[in-house]
Amino acid sequence: MAQIRIENLRKSFGEFVAVQSSSFTIGDGEFFVMLGPSGCGKTTTLRMIAGLELPTGGKILLDGEEVTFQRAAQRDIAFVFQLFALYPHMNVRRNIGFPLLCQGTPRRQIRARVEETARLLRIDQLLDRPVSGLSGGDRQRVALGRAIVRRPKAFLMDEPLGALDSEFRDLMIHELRSLHDRIHATTVYVTHDQLEAMAMADKIVVMNHGVVEQFGTPQAIYDHPASLFVADFIGSPSMNLLRFEGALEPGQRQVRIGEASLAIPTVSEALSRQELVLGARPEHIRLSDDAPLRGEVYGTEYLGTQQIVTVTTELGRVKARIGAAQPVAAGDRVGLAFLTERLSLFDGVSGRALATHGVEEAVHG
Amino acid sequence: MAEVVLQGLIKRFGDTEAVRDVSLTVADGSMVVLLGPTGAGKTTLLRLVAGLEMPDAGTLSIGGRDMTGEPPAARDVSFVFQQYSLYPHLSVRDNLAFPLRSPARRLPPAQVVRRVEEIAELLRIAHKLDNRATQLSGGEMQRVAIGRALVREPAIYLMDEPLSSLDARLRADLRLELKRIQQDLGATILYVTHDQVEAMTMASRIGVLAEGKLVQFGTPREIYEDPVDAYVATRLGIPRINLLPVGLLPSPDAPPGTALVGARTEHLRIHPRDGRPASVTRVEHLGDQTHLHLLLDEQPIVVLADAHTPIRQGERVGLALDAPLFFDADGHRLRQCAPATA
């Protein structure tokens, strides 16, 4: 398996810049997710790693060896286009062994490798069955087996679960992650779905308009988004973003938003009066009668253990995620209390996250 | 708006019984959501109410009048499909006005204008009224499609997965809007989905369907907290309810005959030391929740955790049950003594 290093990678198509000078490292054995909306450059980056697209500038290193302009076939990387197409006339064994057969691997070796792969995927009892009679989950496992039987240095996957319905997708997310935990193959996975990214990734790179917005662990990106774009893109419902005018100075611990004075994490940089944004995740807001920011409940969404309460305030709609046992109904007047140390502050003009005590480590792209 | 009553409805297609003896009432001004996987019969049921299919047995009444054999046009229903079908050459205004201008209805033009503007305001597309339908985003198009149903005031709105083609963010926004609109208009809606979040967040009552049968009918809270069987229990709740073999964890109040213990997050207590020791196999930070994956005697258990839980992968925690649900070997719910709710 392999480490993949991306250095100042750029790609333009004529006038259009698809990827702007990106740098990051995919660690050996990591499950690495490139996340962003369509057109953000994630698929182009993946295709450059695969060798299907040549960069306009920058370097790609596979285990320290430069492969930037090497042909795809020379890179020993498996690109999983479609996880779900099987050869219907072949049994499970022949489906899984097919890539090795194409490479001219000796038959005895194919047999051993196919059986080992099937054990890894826990489908060894199905090896001599036709694929037509298999359950959906087993078909996916066979397709995965066909991808991993070659033991490439890395797997590249481009939205492999995009076409599945939600229940089946959840199942496959766990399947893919637990397979990764068993074989530890370096995996680069492209998706626009933040839930897939959060559920599977060791590391995430968030891209937007060809630019790396943030690079880090799912938890770090969730807790300390480096920009307004990341704050809004990750999380469901997304982070509440309250816009206000104000100035900041180091050591400050309060801001005035409309009529309310709110405690914030200790500020560690200075900013003259301008547009600022306070970011609060729904689970970091509580309903409290004596809180300074007040509003009227617009609607509640029951989710069993929890509920999401949408409150109309002078600063716009705010969503709070609270326990389902708490009685609250549309039309109620409520106060909103924030978990101070979990709040984020952003420069409303550039979108950049502002340094506060404890979150200087937020990585900018 | 009107009350809709289904009584003993049966629909067969050849040898398959798509709808098996379904009886339910959609109360006037309420929203009933039919929840079930593909093939559960929910769309067939909706089409039976619309008059697009005729039942093999049973009756259907709308607003107290028997409609069982009546054609769709006589039923005064309004249908919203999964795929928005707008007239591409017409403006948003004309798309919305279209149902009101049909010769069968013929409303005075001033009234049409008023109604269209009211609905556009409600759906927050008033600023797009003069755009061509093709100049809209996917979410706007679907709002126009829903709006085209809402301009009329039929006895009942029938909606077949109207949000499923939208992206997650927009779906979440429209869920809340649709519920608000339904309450503001006092509309009667029969809504079909396979998405449990839509069912839980919007429904006045949920009908859980399995293989053509109505398994349970009740408020989201009733279905979630008091399911009639293990199947229904697994339909609602993320993460899914843990169905544990009896005896895995001490449960002194399990009634005789218990085979499965259903434990949601709120039915499990996690202690640093007390209880049966389980290992933490993964702390999964999703975009909206944090899941704790535990392993107890080879039995995986998933519970909801605080986003900032101090518990880490590889640790051991103690588990104990707290008033869980009990099921027999066939998955039927067993209750301790008298049922909690009548």
Side-chain angles (χ1 to χ4, degrees):
Chain A
M1 286 296 144
Q3 182 208 61
I4 302 170
R5 248 170 69 205
I6 306 296
E7 290 181 359
N8 303 316
L9 198 65
R10 278 193 308 117
K11 175 71 186 179
S12 23
F13 296 100
E15 296 281 285
F16 176 72
V17 182
V19 177
Q20 300 188 23
S21 193
S22 301
S23 300
F24 48 85
T25 300
I26 300 162
D28 183 19
E30 234 168 41
F31 199 117
F32 185 88
V33 174
M34 294 199 279
L35 174 68
S38 58
C40 74
K42 56 191 190 302
T43 293
T44 306
T45 305
L46 190 73
R47 290 173 59 83
M48 288 193 281
I49 296 172
L52 299 173
E53 209 70 78
L54 294 181
T56 315
K59 278 189 202 167
I60 300 166
L61 295 101
L62 192 59
D63 267 345
E65 180 202 348
E66 184 173 343
V67 297
T68 318
F69 295 102
Q70 253 181 32
R71 290 163 60 181
Q74 293 168 326
R75 296 193 189 193
D76 194 17
I77 282 175
F79 202 116
V80 183
F81 286 100
Q82 248 292 7
L83 267 179
F84 313 113
L86 299 177
Y87 303 109
H89 59 290
M90 295 183 189
N91 66 12
V92 171
R93 184 186 299 278
R94 291 189 58 210
N95 261 285
I96 296 177
F98 196 75
L100 297 179
L101 195 71
C102 295
Q103 283 182 339
T105 311
R107 297 218 169 246
R108 183 177 303 169
Q109 213 176 319
I110 293 182
R111 193 174 176 85
R113 289 269 287 282
V114 167
E115 283 175 3
E116 191 193 336
T117 302
R119 269 196 302 279
L120 211 51
L121 290 160
R122 298 177 184 144
I123 48 172
D124 35 338
Q125 75 285 6
L126 301 177
L127 274 175
D128 295 308
R129 297 259 296 270
V131 293
S132 54
L134 299 180
S135 72
D138 285 335
R139 291 176 69 89
Q140 309 270 10
R141 285 177 204 113
V142 175
L144 269 178
R146 206 171 47 187
I148 65 175
V149 74
R150 260 195 329 115
R151 311 262 188 78
K153 284 194 168 168
F155 294 109
L156 309 183
M157 304 191 187
D158 192 1
E159 309 241 9
L161 308 182
L164 301 181
D165 69 36
S166 61
E167 201 160 326
F168 205 35
R169 205 187 57 174
D170 289 349
L171 191 78
M172 282 311 294
I173 285 174
H174 290 280
E175 196 81 29
L176 275 175
R177 180 64 218 195
S178 76
L179 177 69
H180 181 82
D181 289 342
R182 275 175 271 149
I183 67 177
H184 298 289
T186 307
T187 303
V188 189
Y189 185 103
V190 159
T191 182
H192 69 276
D193 184 301
Q194 49 117 2
L195 285 179
E196 282 181 21
M198 292 293 288
M200 286 190 282
D202 295 311
K203 289 264 179 62
I204 295 176
V205 62
V206 185
M207 297 184 72
N208 186 32
H209 295 310
V211 176
V212 172
E213 291 267 342
Q214 192 167 3
F215 169 71
T217 63
Q219 186 76 62
I221 286 176
Y222 187 79
D223 288 345
H224 307 301
S227 66
L228 278 175
F229 174 81
V230 177
D232 187 53
F233 195 75
I234 308 257
S236 168
S238 56
M239 189 181 252
N240 295 290
L241 299 172
L242 309 176
R243 292 184 179 268
F244 65 103
E245 285 274 321
L248 294 177
E249 54 188 72
Q252 189 175 328
R253 309 186 64 169
Q254 295 268 327
V255 287
R256 203 154 181 87
I257 303 186
E259 296 295 302
S261 178
L262 297 176
I264 53 166
T266 312
V267 174
S268 45
E269 60 182 289
L271 218 60
S272 54
R273 187 169 181 86
Q274 63 156 82
E275 191 185 20
L276 299 171
V277 182
L278 184 70
R281 296 235 174 252
E283 65 270 29
H284 299 145
I285 301 177
R286 295 281 167 268
L287 302 191
S288 159
D289 284 335
D290 50 7
L293 182 63
R294 305 192 63 80
E296 187 187 304
V297 175
Y298 178 78
T300 64
E301 295 171 277
Y302 177 69
L303 294 171
T305 310
Q306 301 174 319
Q307 62 182 331
I308 295 165
V309 181
T310 305
V311 180
T312 309
T313 73
E314 54 172 328
L315 302 167
R317 296 249 174 94
V318 174
K319 287 181 189 282
R321 181 188 282 274
I322 62 171
Q326 193 170 343
V328 52
D332 288 359
R333 295 282 308 170
V334 295
L336 298 170
F338 298 91
L339 220 62
T340 305
E341 64 274 24
R342 298 291 178 195
L343 297 177
S344 297
L345 264 179
F346 300 91
D347 178 328
V349 182
S350 69
R352 176 180 68 92
L354 298 174
T356 52
H357 188 74
V359 295
E360 284 82 357
E361 73 269 24
V363 183
H364 294 276
Chain B
M1 291 290 134
E3 179 187 77
V4 175
V5 181
L6 282 55
Q7 206 128 50
L9 280 188
I10 293 176
K11 177 68 189 176
R12 296 185 198 94
F13 296 105
D15 286 342
T16 49
E17 221 169 17
V19 172
R20 302 180 182 190
D21 193 14
V22 169
S23 301
L24 68 87
T25 298
V26 184
D28 186 13
S30 78
M31 179 161 183
V32 167
V33 176
L34 298 175
L35 178 69
T38 311
K42 50 194 196 305
T43 297
T44 305
L45 208 49
L46 203 63
R47 292 172 60 84
L48 285 169
V49 177
L52 299 171
E53 303 285 353
M54 290 296 160
D56 293 305
T59 60
L60 177 133
S61 74
I62 297 177
R65 288 181 48 209
D66 183 14
M67 289 285 176
T68 315
E70 297 292 326
R75 299 191 182 200
D76 193 20
V77 300
S78 196
F79 213 118
V80 183
F81 296 94
Q82 184 175 345
Q83 282 302 329
Y84 34 81
S85 44
L86 303 180
Y87 301 106
H89 59 293
L90 295 184
S91 66
V92 170
R93 187 187 302 281
D94 289 335
N95 264 286
L96 288 174
F98 198 85
L100 299 178
R101 289 180 182 145
S102 90
R105 257 168 277 276
R106 254 208 202 286
L107 250 68
Q111 211 174 318
V112 171
V113 168
R114 190 153 10 100
R115 187 72 188 147
V116 164
E117 280 172 4
E118 239 172 62
I119 291 297
E121 202 65 53
L122 214 52
L123 288 163
R124 294 199 244 135
I125 42 171
H127 57 294
K128 299 271 171 144
L129 272 175
D130 295 311
N131 286 37
R132 281 268 195 105
T134 47
Q135 293 167 327
L136 303 177
S137 70
E140 288 165 344
M141 283 200 224
Q142 189 62 345
R143 271 184 279 171
V144 176
I146 293 170
R148 209 168 48 179
L150 294 178
V151 288
R152 285 188 45 214
E153 290 171 77
I156 184 169
Y157 298 106
L158 305 175
M159 303 192 179
D160 191 0
E161 311 230 16
L163 307 184
S164 66
S165 57
L166 305 175
D167 71 43
R169 164 103 25 127
L170 202 55
R171 215 159 53 219
D173 285 351
L174 278 182
R175 262 193 338 244
L176 189 64
E177 290 308 321
L178 201 56
K179 180 72 190 164
R180 250 312 262 234
I181 290 166
Q182 185 264 328
Q183 286 170 340
D184 287 354
L185 297 177
T188 311
I189 300 181
L190 184 59
Y191 186 106
V192 155
T193 186
H194 68 271
D195 179 348
Q196 58 153 307
V197 176
E198 284 181 17
M200 276 215 263
T201 57
M202 293 196 293
S204 320
R205 290 213 149 59
I206 297 175
V208 181
L209 288 170
E211 293 167 356
K213 278 210 195 88
L214 182 67
V215 190
Q216 190 170 359
F217 188 65
T219 65
R221 210 176 268 272
E222 280 164 12
I223 305 245
Y224 179 80
E225 291 178 357
D226 198 15
V228 296
D229 62 20
Y231 172 79
V232 173
T234 57
R235 291 291 99 193
L236 295 193
I238 305 170
R240 190 179 275 225
I241 191 169
N242 298 288
L243 293 174
L244 311 173
V246 66
L248 183 75
L249 287 165
S251 48
D253 19 333
T258 298
L260 284 174
V261 176
R264 300 191 192 275
T265 301
E266 51 271 36
H267 302 138
L268 284 164
R269 287 229 190 96
I270 298 181
H271 286 283
R273 285 169 304 278
D274 299 349
R276 293 286 314 279
S279 58
V280 180
T281 54
R282 187 166 161 78
V283 182
E284 186 181 30
H285 296 285
L286 300 166
D288 56 345
Q289 296 184 330
T290 299
H291 291 179
L292 220 49
H293 293 254
L294 307 169
L295 201 62
L296 175 63
D297 295 346
E298 309 208 344
Q299 169 72 46
I301 296 173
V302 184
V303 296
L304 202 58
D306 187 82
H308 304 283
T309 174
I311 298 172
R312 293 283 168 265
Q313 184 171 336
E315 284 181 12
R316 294 186 82 76
V317 295
L319 272 184
L321 289 169
D322 180 10
L325 310 176
F326 301 109
F327 304 98
D328 69 14
D330 296 325
H332 297 302
R333 177 83 181 280
L334 296 171
R335 293 165 201 278
Q336 279 141 291
C337 24
T341 48

